[in-house]
C-alpha cells in the first residue's frame, strides 16, 4: 500500500486525486528500474502468441472513478510508454473479469477534499469505494503484485451498511505480509 494522504477533488460529477497520479508515475519508474524487472518482463518473451505475451507484460492501472482513469491515461500512459511499459488502464467496473500480473489500484477518496478555491475541508464518505463488490474486484485483479495507492488511514475506517469494516482486513494483510510505503518515502526514496 502506498499511503497517499492527499485531498481528493471534484471533476464534474466524478472525483480525482492528483497526488495519486504522481505516485503511480513514481511506482512505474521504480518498477522499471528495479533489480530483476527486465528479466521478469523478458520471461514473457518465451510465449509464442503475441497477444498473450503482450497481455502478460501489461501493468493494470485501475480506479473507482472515470475521471481519475482519464487523468491516468493522459498523465501516466505516455510516461509508461517512454519507459517501455505496457499499461491497461480502466475503471474497476470495466476491469471486472480481467487480470494482470501487476495491478495498481488508485483509490482516489480521502478524508479531505479540496475545492476550486483551494480550501481543504475534512469529509467522510467513500462513494463508489464503499461497495464490497467493487472492493472485491479491485483487490482481486492482480496475479502476482497488487499495489494500492490511497489514504490508508481513511480507508481503514470505511464500513459497509452492516457496520463491518471493508478495507481493514486487506490493510492488515498488506501490513503483515506486504509493505506500507509512505508517499514522501516513495517520492524521495
Amino acid at each position: 500500500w502506498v499511503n497517499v494522504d492527499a485531498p481528493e477533488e471534484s471533476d464534474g460529477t466524478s472525483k480525482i486525486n492528483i497526488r495519486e497520479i504522481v505516485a503511480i508515475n513514481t511506482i512505474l519508474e521504480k518498477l522499471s528500474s528495479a533489480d530483476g524487472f527486465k528479466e521478469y518482463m523478458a520471461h514473457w518473451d518465451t510465449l509464442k502468441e503475441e497477444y498473450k505475451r503482450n497481455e502478460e507484460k501489461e501493468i493494470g492501472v485501475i480506479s473507482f472513478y472515470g475521471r481519475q482513469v482519464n487523468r491516468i491515461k493522459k498523465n501516466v500512459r505516455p510516461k509508461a510508454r517512454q519507459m517501455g511499459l505496457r499499461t491497461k488502464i480502466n475503471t474497476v467496473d470495466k476491469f471486472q473479469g480481467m487480470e494482470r500480473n501487476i495491478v495498481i489500484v488508485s483509490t482516489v477518496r480521502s478524508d479531505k477534499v479540496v475545492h476550486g478555491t483551494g480550501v481543504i475541508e475534512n469529509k467522510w464518505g467513500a462513494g463508489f469505494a464503499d461497495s464490497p463488490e467493487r472492493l472485491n474486484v479491485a483487490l482481486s485483479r492482480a496475479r502476482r503484485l497488487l499495489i494500492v495507492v490511497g489514504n490508508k488511514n481513511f480507508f481503514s475506517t470505511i464500513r459497509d451498511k452492516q457496520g463491518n469494516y471493508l478495507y481493514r482486513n486487506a490493510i492488515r494483510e498488506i501490513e503483515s505480509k506486504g509493505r506500507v510505503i509512505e508517499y514522501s518515502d516513495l517520492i524521495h526514496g
Side-chain angles (χ1 to χ4, degrees), residues 31-47 52-60 84-86 99-103 141-146:
L31 267 176
S32 69
S33 64
D35 289 342
F37 187 75
K38 285 183 177 54
E39 291 82 6
Y40 167 77
M41 286 302 203
H43 165 77
W44 302 113
D45 291 334
T46 61
L47 297 175
K52 187 69 174 162
R53 193 169 50 243
N54 290 338
E55 185 177 286
E56 294 293 343
K57 289 182 174 186
E58 271 183 343
I59 297 172
L85 301 175
R86 302 177 76 80
E99 291 181 324
R100 292 298 181 269
N101 289 316
I102 300 169
V103 173
R141 301 300 92 197
R143 290 187 202 118
R144 290 178 169 74
L145 176 62
L146 171 67

Side-chain angles (χ1 to χ4, degrees), residues 118-159:
V119 174
I120 297 176
E121 296 177 5
N122 292 334
K123 69 127 197 103
W124 294 98
F128 290 147
D130 72 359
S131 162
E133 296 80 14
R134 283 190 174 105
L135 170 63
N136 181 50
V137 171
L139 301 184
S140 64
R141 301 300 92 197
R143 290 187 202 118
R144 290 178 169 74
L145 176 62
L146 171 67
I147 302 170
V148 180
V149 179
N151 186 328
K152 180 180 75 77
N153 293 334
F154 172 66
F155 276 87
S156 69
T157 66
I158 296 173
R159 297 176 187 243

Side-chain angles (χ1 to χ4, degrees), residues 1 4 7 11 16 45 48 50 64-65 74 88 92 97 102 109 119 134 136 138 150 158 164 168 171 173 176:
W1 191 293
V4 178
D11 186 354
I16 60 170
D45 291 334
K48 292 179 184 177
E50 183 179 359
F64 298 111
Y65 291 90
K74 182 179 177 187
K88 177 75 172 177
V92 169
I102 300 169
R109 300 311 293 259
V119 174
R134 283 190 174 105
N136 181 50
I158 296 173
N164 302 309
R168 191 169 280 180
I171 290 169
E173 190 73 11
S176 72

